[in-house]
Coordinates of all heavy atoms in Angstrom, one line a residue:
M1 N 22.5 -13.6 20.1 CA 22.5 -13.3 18.6 C 22.4 -14.6 17.9 O 21.7 -14.7 16.9 CB 23.7 -12.5 18.2 CG 23.5 -11.9 16.8 SD 22.1 -10.7 16.7 CE 21.9 -10.6 15.0
K2 N 23.1 -15.6 18.3 CA 23.2 -16.9 17.7 C 21.8 -17.6 17.7 O 21.3 -18.2 16.8 CB 24.2 -17.8 18.4 CG 24.7 -18.9 17.4 CD 25.9 -19.6 18.1 CE 25.4 -20.8 18.9 NZ 26.6 -21.5 19.5
Y3 N 21.1 -17.4 18.9 CA 19.8 -18.0 19.0 C 18.8 -17.3 18.1 O 17.8 -18.0 17.6 CB 19.3 -17.8 20.5 CG 20.1 -18.6 21.5 CD1 21.1 -18.0 22.3 CD2 20.1 -20.0 21.5 CE1 21.8 -18.7 23.2 CE2 20.8 -20.7 22.3 CZ 21.7 -20.1 23.2 OH 22.5 -20.9 24.0
L4 N 18.9 -16.1 17.8 CA 18.0 -15.3 16.9 C 18.1 -16.0 15.5 O 17.1 -16.2 14.9 CB 18.4 -13.9 16.8 CG 17.4 -12.9 16.1 CD1 16.2 -12.7 17.0 CD2 18.1 -11.6 15.8
I5 N 19.3 -16.3 15.1 CA 19.5 -16.9 13.7 C 18.8 -18.2 13.7 O 18.1 -18.6 12.8 CB 21.0 -17.0 13.4 CG1 21.6 -15.6 13.2 CG2 21.2 -17.8 12.2 CD1 23.1 -15.5 13.4
W6 N 19.0 -19.0 14.8 CA 18.3 -20.3 14.8 C 16.8 -20.2 14.9 O 16.1 -21.1 14.3 CB 18.9 -21.2 16.0 CG 20.2 -21.8 15.7 CD1 21.4 -21.4 16.3 CD2 20.5 -22.8 14.8 NE1 22.4 -22.2 15.7 CE2 21.9 -23.0 14.8 CE3 19.7 -23.5 13.9 CZ2 22.5 -24.0 14.0 CZ3 20.3 -24.5 13.1 CH2 21.7 -24.7 13.1
L7 N 16.3 -19.2 15.6 CA 14.9 -19.0 15.6 C 14.3 -18.7 14.3 O 13.3 -19.2 13.9 CB 14.6 -17.8 16.6 CG 13.1 -17.6 16.9 CD1 12.6 -18.6 17.9 CD2 12.9 -16.2 17.5
V8 N 15.0 -17.9 13.5 CA 14.6 -17.5 12.1 C 14.6 -18.8 11.2 O 13.7 -19.0 10.5 CB 15.5 -16.4 11.5 CG1 15.3 -16.2 10.0 CG2 15.3 -15.1 12.3
V9 N 15.7 -19.6 11.4 CA 15.8 -20.8 10.6 C 14.6 -21.8 11.0 O 14.0 -22.3 10.1 CB 17.2 -21.5 10.9 CG1 17.2 -22.9 10.2 CG2 18.3 -20.7 10.3
L10 N 14.4 -21.9 12.3 CA 13.3 -22.7 12.7 C 11.9 -22.3 12.2 O 11.1 -23.1 11.7 CB 13.2 -22.7 14.3 CG 12.3 -23.8 14.9 CD1 12.9 -25.2 14.8 CD2 12.1 -23.4 16.4
L11 N 11.7 -21.0 12.2 CA 10.5 -20.4 11.7 C 10.3 -20.7 10.2 O 9.2 -21.0 9.7 CB 10.4 -18.9 11.9 CG 9.9 -18.4 13.3 CD1 10.1 -17.0 13.5 CD2 8.4 -18.7 13.3
A12 N 11.4 -20.5 9.5 CA 11.4 -20.8 8.0 C 11.1 -22.3 7.8 O 10.3 -22.6 6.9 CB 12.8 -20.5 7.4
V13 N 11.6 -23.2 8.6 CA 11.3 -24.6 8.4 C 9.9 -24.9 8.7 O 9.2 -25.6 8.0 CB 12.3 -25.4 9.3 CG1 11.8 -26.9 9.4 CG2 13.7 -25.3 8.8
V14 N 9.3 -24.3 9.8 CA 7.9 -24.5 10.2 C 7.0 -24.0 9.1 O 6.1 -24.7 8.6 CB 7.6 -23.8 11.5 CG1 6.1 -23.7 11.8 CG2 8.3 -24.5 12.7
V15 N 7.3 -22.8 8.5 CA 6.5 -22.2 7.5 C 6.6 -23.1 6.2 O 5.6 -23.4 5.6 CB 6.9 -20.8 7.1 CG1 6.3 -20.3 5.8 CG2 6.6 -19.9 8.3
W16 N 7.8 -23.6 5.9 CA 8.0 -24.4 4.7 C 7.2 -25.7 4.9 O 6.5 -26.2 3.9 CB 9.5 -24.8 4.6 CG 9.7 -25.6 3.4 CD1 9.9 -25.1 2.1 CD2 9.9 -27.0 3.3 NE1 10.1 -26.1 1.2 CE2 10.2 -27.3 1.9 CE3 9.9 -28.0 4.2 CZ2 10.4 -28.6 1.5 CZ3 10.1 -29.3 3.8 CH2 10.4 -29.6 2.5
F17 N 7.2 -26.3 6.1 CA 6.4 -27.5 6.3 C 4.9 -27.3 6.2 O 4.2 -28.1 5.6 CB 6.7 -28.1 7.8 CG 7.8 -29.1 7.7 CD1 9.0 -28.9 8.4 CD2 7.6 -30.4 7.1 CE1 10.0 -29.8 8.4 CE2 8.6 -31.3 7.1 CZ 9.8 -31.1 7.7
Q18 N 4.4 -26.2 6.7 CA 3.0 -25.9 6.6 C 2.6 -25.7 5.1 O 1.5 -26.1 4.7 CB 2.7 -24.6 7.4 CG 2.6 -24.9 8.9 CD 2.3 -23.6 9.7 OE1 2.6 -22.5 9.2 NE2 1.9 -23.8 10.9
R19 N 3.5 -25.0 4.4 CA 3.2 -24.8 2.9 C 3.2 -26.2 2.2 O 2.3 -26.4 1.4 CB 4.2 -23.9 2.3 CG 4.0 -22.5 2.7 CD 5.1 -21.6 2.1 NE 5.1 -21.6 0.7 CZ 4.5 -20.6 0.0 NH1 3.9 -19.6 0.6 NH2 4.5 -20.6 -1.3
A20 N 4.1 -27.0 2.5 CA 4.2 -28.3 1.9 C 3.0 -29.2 2.2 O 2.4 -29.9 1.4 CB 5.5 -29.0 2.4
K21 N 2.6 -29.1 3.5 CA 1.4 -29.9 4.0 C 0.1 -29.4 3.2 O -0.7 -30.2 2.8 CB 1.2 -29.7 5.5 CG 0.5 -30.9 6.1 CD 0.8 -30.9 7.6 CE -0.2 -30.1 8.4 NZ 0.0 -30.1 9.8
K22 N 0.0 -28.0 3.1 CA -1.1 -27.4 2.5 C -1.2 -27.8 1.0 O -2.3 -28.2 0.5 CB -1.1 -25.9 2.6 CG -2.4 -25.2 2.5 CD -2.3 -23.7 2.6 CE -2.3 -23.2 4.0 NZ -2.2 -21.8 4.0
S23 N -0.1 -27.8 0.3 CA -0.1 -28.2 -1.1 C -0.3 -29.7 -1.3 O -0.9 -30.1 -2.3 CB 1.3 -27.8 -1.8 OG 2.3 -28.6 -1.2
M24 N 0.1 -30.5 -0.3 CA -0.2 -31.9 -0.4 C -1.7 -32.2 -0.2 O -2.3 -33.0 -0.9 CB 0.6 -32.6 0.7 CG 1.8 -33.5 0.2 SD 2.3 -34.7 1.3 CE 3.3 -33.7 2.5
L25 N -2.3 -31.4 0.7 CA -3.8 -31.6 1.0 C -4.6 -31.1 -0.2 O -5.6 -31.6 -0.6 CB -4.2 -30.8 2.2 CG -3.8 -31.4 3.5 CD1 -4.0 -30.4 4.7 CD2 -4.5 -32.6 3.9
A26 N -4.0 -30.1 -0.9 CA -4.7 -29.5 -2.1 C -4.7 -30.5 -3.3 O -5.5 -30.4 -4.2 CB -4.1 -28.2 -2.5
G27 N -3.8 -31.4 -3.2 CA -3.7 -32.4 -4.3 C -2.3 -32.4 -5.0 O -1.3 -32.4 -4.3
N28 N -2.3 -32.4 -6.3 CA -1.1 -32.4 -7.0 C -0.4 -31.1 -7.0 O -0.9 -30.1 -6.5 CB -1.4 -32.9 -8.5 CG -2.0 -34.3 -8.5 OD1 -1.7 -35.1 -7.7 ND2 -2.8 -34.5 -9.6
D29 N 0.8 -31.1 -7.6 CA 1.6 -29.9 -7.7 C 0.9 -28.8 -8.5 O 0.5 -29.1 -9.7 CB 3.0 -30.3 -8.3 CG 4.0 -29.1 -8.3 OD1 3.7 -28.2 -7.5 OD2 5.0 -29.2 -9.0
N30 N 0.7 -27.6 -8.0 CA 0.0 -26.6 -8.7 C 0.9 -25.7 -9.5 O 0.5 -24.6 -9.8 CB -0.8 -25.7 -7.7 CG -1.8 -26.6 -6.9 OD1 -2.4 -27.5 -7.5 ND2 -2.1 -26.2 -5.7
G31 N 2.1 -26.2 -9.8 CA 3.0 -25.4 -10.6 C 3.9 -24.5 -9.8 O 4.2 -24.9 -8.7
P32 N 4.3 -23.4 -10.3 CA 5.3 -22.6 -9.6 C 4.9 -22.1 -8.2 O 5.7 -21.9 -7.3 CB 5.6 -21.4 -10.5 CG 4.5 -21.4 -11.5 CD 4.0 -22.8 -11.5
E33 N 3.6 -21.9 -8.0 CA 3.0 -21.4 -6.7 C 3.3 -22.4 -5.6 O 3.5 -22.0 -4.4 CB 1.5 -21.2 -6.8 CG 1.2 -19.7 -6.8 CD -0.3 -19.4 -6.8 OE1 -1.0 -20.3 -6.4 OE2 -0.6 -18.3 -7.2
A34 N 3.2 -23.7 -5.9 CA 3.4 -24.7 -4.8 C 4.8 -24.9 -4.4 O 5.1 -25.6 -3.4 CB 2.7 -26.0 -5.3
R35 N 5.7 -24.4 -5.2 CA 7.1 -24.7 -4.9 C 7.6 -23.8 -3.7 O 7.4 -22.5 -3.8 CB 8.0 -24.4 -6.1 CG 7.9 -25.6 -7.1 CD 8.3 -25.2 -8.5 NE 9.8 -24.8 -8.5 CZ 10.4 -24.3 -9.6 NH1 9.7 -24.1 -10.7 NH2 11.6 -24.0 -9.5
P36 N 8.2 -24.3 -2.7 CA 8.6 -23.5 -1.5 C 9.6 -22.4 -1.9 O 9.6 -21.4 -1.2 CB 9.2 -24.5 -0.6 CG 9.5 -25.7 -1.4 CD 8.6 -25.7 -2.5
E37 N 10.5 -22.6 -2.9 CA 11.5 -21.6 -3.2 C 10.9 -20.4 -3.9 O 11.6 -19.3 -4.0 CB 12.6 -22.2 -4.0 CG 12.2 -22.7 -5.4 CD 12.0 -24.2 -5.3 OE1 11.6 -24.8 -4.3 OE2 12.3 -24.9 -6.3
S38 N 9.6 -20.4 -4.3 CA 9.0 -19.3 -5.0 C 8.7 -18.2 -4.0 O 8.6 -17.0 -4.4 CB 7.7 -19.7 -5.7 OG 6.8 -20.1 -4.8
G39 N 8.6 -18.5 -2.7 CA 8.5 -17.5 -1.7 C 7.1 -16.9 -1.6 O 6.1 -17.5 -2.0
I40 N 7.0 -15.7 -1.1 CA 5.7 -15.0 -0.8 C 5.2 -14.5 -2.1 O 5.9 -14.0 -3.0 CB 6.0 -13.8 0.2 CG1 6.6 -14.3 1.5 CG2 4.7 -13.1 0.5 CD1 7.5 -13.3 2.1
P41 N 3.8 -14.6 -2.3 CA 3.2 -14.0 -3.5 C 3.5 -12.5 -3.6 O 3.5 -11.8 -2.6 CB 1.7 -14.3 -3.3 CG 1.6 -15.2 -2.1 CD 2.9 -15.2 -1.4
R42 N 3.7 -12.0 -4.9 CA 4.1 -10.6 -5.0 C 3.1 -9.6 -5.2 O 3.3 -8.4 -4.8 CB 5.1 -10.6 -6.2 CG 6.5 -10.9 -5.8 CD 7.3 -11.6 -6.8 NE 8.4 -12.4 -6.3 CZ 9.7 -12.0 -6.4 NH1 10.0 -10.9 -7.0 NH2 10.6 -12.7 -5.8
P43 N 1.9 -9.8 -5.8 CA 1.0 -8.7 -6.1 C 0.6 -7.9 -4.9 O 0.5 -6.7 -5.0 CB -0.3 -9.5 -6.6 CG 0.2 -10.8 -7.2 CD 1.4 -11.1 -6.3
K44 N 0.5 -8.5 -3.7 CA 0.1 -7.7 -2.5 C 1.2 -6.7 -2.2 O 0.9 -5.6 -1.8 CB -0.1 -8.7 -1.4 CG -1.6 -9.1 -1.2 CD -1.7 -9.9 0.1 CE -3.1 -10.4 0.2 NZ -3.3 -11.2 1.4
M45 N 2.4 -7.1 -2.3 CA 3.5 -6.2 -1.9 C 3.6 -5.0 -2.8 O 3.8 -3.9 -2.4 CB 4.9 -7.0 -2.1 CG 5.1 -8.0 -1.0 SD 6.6 -9.0 -1.3 CE 7.9 -7.8 -1.1
G46 N 3.3 -5.2 -4.1 CA 3.3 -4.1 -5.1 C 2.2 -3.1 -4.7 O 2.4 -1.9 -4.8
A47 N 1.0 -3.6 -4.4 CA -0.1 -2.7 -4.0 C 0.2 -1.9 -2.8 O -0.1 -0.7 -2.7 CB -1.4 -3.5 -3.9
A48 N 0.8 -2.5 -1.8 CA 1.1 -1.8 -0.6 C 2.1 -0.7 -0.8 O 2.0 0.3 -0.2 CB 1.7 -2.8 0.5
R49 N 3.1 -1.0 -1.7 CA 4.1 0.0 -1.9 C 3.5 1.2 -2.6 O 3.9 2.3 -2.4 CB 5.2 -0.6 -2.8 CG 6.5 0.1 -2.8 CD 7.5 -0.4 -3.7 NE 7.9 -1.8 -3.4 CZ 8.4 -2.7 -4.3 NH1 8.6 -2.3 -5.5 NH2 8.7 -3.9 -3.9
R50 N 2.6 0.9 -3.6 CA 2.0 2.0 -4.3 C 1.2 3.0 -3.4 O 1.3 4.2 -3.5 CB 1.0 1.5 -5.4 CG 0.8 2.4 -6.5 CD 0.0 1.8 -7.6 NE 0.6 0.6 -8.2 CZ -0.1 -0.4 -8.7 NH1 -1.4 -0.4 -8.7 NH2 0.5 -1.5 -9.2
S51 N 0.5 2.4 -2.4 CA -0.3 3.3 -1.5 C 0.5 4.0 -0.5 O 0.2 5.1 0.0 CB -1.4 2.4 -0.8 OG -0.7 1.5 0.1
A52 N 1.7 3.5 -0.2 CA 2.6 4.1 0.8 C 3.6 5.1 0.1 O 4.5 5.6 0.7 CB 3.4 3.1 1.5
E53 N 3.4 5.3 -1.2 CA 4.3 6.2 -1.9 C 4.3 7.6 -1.3 O 3.3 8.2 -1.1 CB 3.9 6.3 -3.4 CG 5.1 6.5 -4.3 CD 4.6 6.4 -5.8 OE1 4.0 5.4 -6.1 OE2 4.8 7.4 -6.5
P54 N 5.5 8.2 -1.0 CA 5.5 9.6 -0.4 C 4.9 10.7 -1.3 O 4.4 11.6 -0.8 CB 7.0 9.8 -0.1 CG 7.7 8.9 -1.0 CD 6.8 7.7 -1.2
G55 N 5.0 10.5 -2.6 CA 4.5 11.5 -3.5 C 3.0 11.5 -3.7 O 2.4 12.5 -4.1
A56 N 2.4 10.4 -3.3 CA 0.9 10.2 -3.4 C 0.2 11.1 -2.4 O 0.6 11.1 -1.2 CB 0.5 8.8 -3.3
E57 N -0.7 11.8 -2.8 CA -1.5 12.7 -1.9 C -2.9 12.8 -2.4 O -3.2 12.6 -3.6 CB -0.9 14.1 -1.9 CG -1.2 14.9 -0.7 CD -0.5 16.2 -0.6 OE1 0.5 16.4 -1.4 OE2 -0.9 17.1 0.1
T58 N -3.8 13.1 -1.5 CA -5.2 13.2 -1.8 C -5.4 14.4 -2.7 O -5.0 15.5 -2.4 CB -6.1 13.3 -0.5 OG1 -5.7 12.3 0.4 CG2 -7.5 13.3 -0.8
M59 N -6.1 14.2 -3.8 CA -6.4 15.3 -4.7 C -7.8 15.9 -4.5 O -8.7 15.1 -4.3 CB -6.2 14.8 -6.2 CG -4.9 14.3 -6.5 SD -3.5 15.5 -6.4 CE -3.7 16.3 -8.0
V60 N -7.9 17.2 -4.6 CA -9.2 17.8 -4.4 C -9.5 18.7 -5.6 O -8.5 19.0 -6.4 CB -9.3 18.6 -3.1 CG1 -9.3 17.7 -1.9 CG2 -8.2 19.6 -3.0
Q61 N -10.7 19.1 -5.8 CA -11.1 19.9 -7.0 C -11.5 21.3 -6.5 O -12.3 21.4 -5.6 CB -12.2 19.2 -7.8 CG -12.5 19.8 -9.1 CD -13.6 19.0 -9.9 OE1 -14.3 18.3 -9.3 NE2 -13.6 19.3 -11.2
C62 N -11.0 22.3 -7.3 CA -11.4 23.6 -7.0 C -12.9 23.8 -7.3 O -13.4 23.5 -8.4 CB -10.6 24.6 -7.8 SG -11.1 26.3 -7.5
A63 N -13.7 24.4 -6.3 CA -15.1 24.5 -6.5 C -15.4 25.7 -7.5 O -16.6 25.8 -7.9 CB -15.8 24.8 -5.2
H64 N -14.4 26.5 -7.8 CA -14.6 27.6 -8.7 C -14.2 27.3 -10.1 O -15.0 27.4 -11.0 CB -13.9 28.8 -8.2 CG -14.1 30.1 -9.0 ND1 -15.3 30.8 -9.0 CD2 -13.3 30.7 -10.0 CE1 -15.2 31.8 -9.8 NE2 -14.0 31.8 -10.4
C65 N -13.0 26.9 -10.4 CA -12.5 26.6 -11.7 C -12.4 25.2 -12.1 O -12.2 24.8 -13.2 CB -11.1 27.3 -11.9 SG -9.8 26.6 -10.9
G66 N -12.6 24.3 -11.1 CA -12.6 22.8 -11.4 C -11.3 22.1 -11.5 O -11.2 21.0 -11.9
I67 N -10.2 22.9 -11.3 CA -8.8 22.3 -11.4 C -8.6 21.3 -10.2 O -9.1 21.5 -9.1 CB -7.7 23.4 -11.5 CG1 -6.4 22.9 -12.1 CG2 -7.5 24.0 -10.1 CD1 -5.4 24.0 -12.4
H68 N -7.8 20.2 -10.5 CA -7.4 19.3 -9.5 C -6.0 19.6 -8.9 O -5.1 19.9 -9.7 CB -7.4 17.9 -10.0 CG -8.8 17.3 -10.2 ND1 -9.5 17.6 -11.4 CD2 -9.6 16.6 -9.4 CE1 -10.7 17.0 -11.3 NE2 -10.8 16.4 -10.1
F69 N -5.9 19.6 -7.6 CA -4.6 19.9 -7.0 C -4.5 19.2 -5.6 O -5.5 18.7 -5.1 CB -4.5 21.4 -6.8 CG -5.7 22.0 -6.1 CD1 -5.6 22.2 -4.7 CD2 -6.8 22.3 -6.8 CE1 -6.7 22.8 -4.0 CE2 -7.9 22.9 -6.1 CZ -7.8 23.1 -4.7
P70 N -3.3 19.0 -5.0 CA -3.1 18.3 -3.8 C -3.9 19.1 -2.6 O -3.9 20.3 -2.6 CB -1.6 18.4 -3.5 CG -1.0 18.6 -4.8 CD -2.0 19.4 -5.6
S71 N -4.5 18.3 -1.7 CA -5.3 18.8 -0.6 C -4.5 19.7 0.3 O -5.0 20.6 0.9 CB -6.0 17.7 0.2 OG -5.0 16.9 0.7
S72 N -3.1 19.5 0.3 CA -2.3 20.3 1.2 C -2.2 21.8 0.7 O -1.9 22.7 1.5 CB -0.9 19.7 1.3 OG -0.3 19.7 0.0
E73 N -2.5 22.0 -0.6 CA -2.4 23.4 -1.2 C -3.8 24.0 -1.2 O -3.9 25.1 -1.7 CB -1.8 23.3 -2.6 CG -0.4 22.9 -2.6 CD 0.1 22.6 -4.1 OE1 -0.5 23.2 -5.0 OE2 1.0 21.8 -4.3
A74 N -4.8 23.3 -0.7 CA -6.2 23.8 -0.8 C -6.4 24.9 0.1 O -5.9 25.0 1.2 CB -7.1 22.7 -0.6
V75 N -7.3 25.9 -0.4 CA -7.8 27.0 0.5 C -9.2 26.5 0.8 O -10.1 26.4 -0.1 CB -7.8 28.3 -0.3 CG1 -8.4 29.4 0.6 CG2 -6.4 28.7 -0.7
V76 N -9.5 26.2 2.1 CA -10.8 25.6 2.4 C -11.7 26.7 2.9 O -11.4 27.6 3.7 CB -10.6 24.6 3.5 CG1 -12.0 23.9 3.8 CG2 -9.6 23.5 3.1
H77 N -12.9 26.8 2.3 CA -14.0 27.7 2.7 C -14.6 27.3 3.9 O -14.6 26.1 4.3 CB -15.0 27.8 1.5 CG -15.9 28.9 1.6 ND1 -17.2 28.7 2.0 CD2 -15.8 30.3 1.4 CE1 -17.8 29.9 2.1 NE2 -17.0 30.9 1.7
A78 N -15.3 28.2 4.6 CA -16.1 27.8 5.8 C -17.1 26.8 5.6 O -17.4 26.0 6.5 CB -16.7 29.1 6.4
S79 N -17.6 26.7 4.4 CA -18.7 25.7 4.0 C -18.1 24.3 3.8 O -18.8 23.3 3.7 CB -19.4 26.1 2.8 OG -18.5 26.1 1.7
G80 N -16.7 24.2 3.7 CA -16.0 23.0 3.5 C -15.6 22.8 2.1 O -14.9 21.8 1.8
A81 N -15.9 23.7 1.2 CA -15.5 23.6 -0.2 C -14.0 23.9 -0.4 O -13.5 24.7 0.4 CB -16.3 24.6 -1.1
H82 N -13.4 23.3 -1.3 CA -11.9 23.5 -1.6 C -11.7 24.4 -2.8 O -12.4 24.3 -3.8 CB -11.2 22.2 -1.8 CG -11.2 21.3 -0.6 ND1 -12.3 20.5 -0.3 CD2 -10.3 21.1 0.3 CE1 -12.0 19.8 0.8 NE2 -10.8 20.2 1.2
Y83 N -10.7 25.3 -2.7 CA -10.4 26.2 -3.7 C -8.9 26.2 -4.0 O -8.1 25.9 -3.0 CB -10.8 27.6 -3.4 CG -12.3 27.7 -3.3 CD1 -12.9 27.6 -2.0 CD2 -13.1 27.9 -4.4 CE1 -14.3 27.7 -1.9 CE2 -14.5 28.0 -4.3 CZ -15.1 27.9 -3.0 OH -16.4 27.9 -2.9
C84 N -8.5 26.4 -5.2 CA -7.0 26.3 -5.6 C -6.3 27.5 -5.1 O -5.0 27.5 -4.9 CB -6.9 26.2 -7.1 SG -7.5 27.6 -8.0
C85 N -6.9 28.7 -4.9 CA -6.2 29.8 -4.4 C -7.2 30.7 -3.6 O -8.4 30.6 -3.7 CB -5.6 30.6 -5.6 SG -6.8 31.1 -6.8
E86 N -6.6 31.7 -2.9 CA -7.4 32.6 -2.1 C -8.4 33.4 -2.9 O -9.5 33.7 -2.5 CB -6.4 33.6 -1.3 CG -7.1 34.5 -0.4 CD -7.8 33.8 0.8 OE1 -7.3 32.7 1.2 OE2 -8.9 34.2 1.1
E87 N -8.0 33.8 -4.2 CA -8.8 34.6 -5.0 C -10.1 33.9 -5.4 O -11.2 34.5 -5.4 CB -8.0 35.0 -6.3 CG -8.7 36.2 -7.0 CD -8.0 36.4 -8.4 OE1 -6.9 36.0 -8.6 OE2 -8.7 37.1 -9.2
H88 N -10.0 32.6 -5.7 CA -11.1 31.8 -6.1 C -12.1 31.6 -4.9 O -13.3 31.6 -5.1 CB -10.7 30.4 -6.7 CG -10.2 30.6 -8.1 ND1 -9.8 29.5 -8.9 CD2 -10.2 31.7 -9.0 CE1 -9.4 29.9 -10.1 NE2 -9.7 31.2 -10.1
R89 N -11.5 31.5 -3.8 CA -12.3 31.3 -2.6 C -13.1 32.6 -2.3 O -14.3 32.6 -2.0 CB -11.5 31.1 -1.3 CG -12.3 30.7 -0.1 CD -11.4 30.8 1.2 NE -11.0 32.1 1.4 CZ -11.7 33.1 2.0 NH1 -13.0 32.8 2.3 NH2 -11.3 34.3 2.2
R90 N -12.4 33.7 -2.6 CA -13.1 35.1 -2.4 C -14.2 35.3 -3.4 O -15.3 35.8 -3.1 CB -12.0 36.2 -2.5 CG -12.5 37.5 -2.0 CD -11.3 38.5 -1.9 NE -10.4 38.5 -3.2 CZ -10.7 39.1 -4.3 NH1 -11.8 39.9 -4.4 NH2 -9.9 39.1 -5.3
L91 N -13.9 34.9 -4.7 CA -14.8 35.1 -5.8 C -16.1 34.2 -5.5 O -17.2 34.6 -5.9 CB -14.2 34.7 -7.1 CG -13.2 35.7 -7.7 CD1 -12.4 35.0 -8.8 CD2 -13.9 36.9 -8.2
A92 N -15.9 33.0 -5.0 CA -17.0 32.1 -4.8 C -17.9 32.6 -3.7 O -19.1 32.2 -3.6 CB -16.5 30.7 -4.5
S93 N -17.3 33.3 -2.7 CA -18.2 33.7 -1.6 C -19.1 34.9 -1.9 O -20.0 35.2 -1.1 CB -17.2 34.2 -0.4 OG -16.5 35.3 -0.8
F94 N -18.9 35.5 -3.1 CA -19.9 36.5 -3.5 C -21.1 36.0 -4.2 O -21.0 34.9 -4.8 CB -19.2 37.5 -4.4 CG -18.2 38.4 -3.7 CD1 -16.9 38.4 -3.9 CD2 -18.7 39.3 -2.7 CE1 -16.0 39.3 -3.2 CE2 -17.9 40.1 -2.0 CZ -16.5 40.1 -2.2
Ligands
ZN101 ZN1 -9.7 27.6 -8.8

């Protein structure tokens, strides 16, 4: 367990050195982004969290009335069209 902690510390130091080297090669201090304590850039994390949201689901449109609803509630016709309920699927088949 002690070695794991040292491994993490070593990795952090290596990453910090690489970042410092990269910012040195890029030239002067680029502001808050070049500082090692600012950590990982945040916009990517936010985008990933939004797509992994449990409430998010693919929305489909009813081919009969045009209402939007989650695909899990869809009544799918043999042709592949989605309907909001069994009645609309039946009405569309006529
Ligand atoms: Zn409908």
Side-chain angles (χ1 to χ4, degrees):
M1 195 60 199
K2 207 170 85 177
Y3 292 109
L4 191 73
I5 293 159
W6 280 111
L7 188 73
V8 170
V9 171
L10 191 74
L11 272 169
V13 169
V14 168
V15 168
W16 183 81
F17 265 115
Q18 281 177 342
R19 283 175 69 94
K21 208 161 86 177
K22 206 182 272 181
S23 68
M24 252 199 284
L25 286 169
N28 295 333
D29 190 16
N30 296 327
E33 251 186 22
R35 283 161 64 187
E37 62 262 35
S38 65
I40 304 151
R42 275 147 201 253
K44 266 187 183 175
M45 285 171 72
R49 198 185 297 157
R50 203 177 298 151
S51 63
E53 210 173 308
E57 202 176 342
T58 309
M59 300 296 279
V60 291
Q61 190 174 19
C62 176
H64 183 74
C65 65
I67 198 171
H68 286 86
F69 54 95
S71 58
S72 61
E73 294 172 23
V75 179
V76 184
H77 190 258
S79 66
H82 292 83
Y83 297 95
C84 64
C85 57
E86 185 62 39
E87 197 188 342
H88 282 179
R89 189 194 64 79
R90 192 170 50 80
L91 284 166
S93 63
F94 285 118

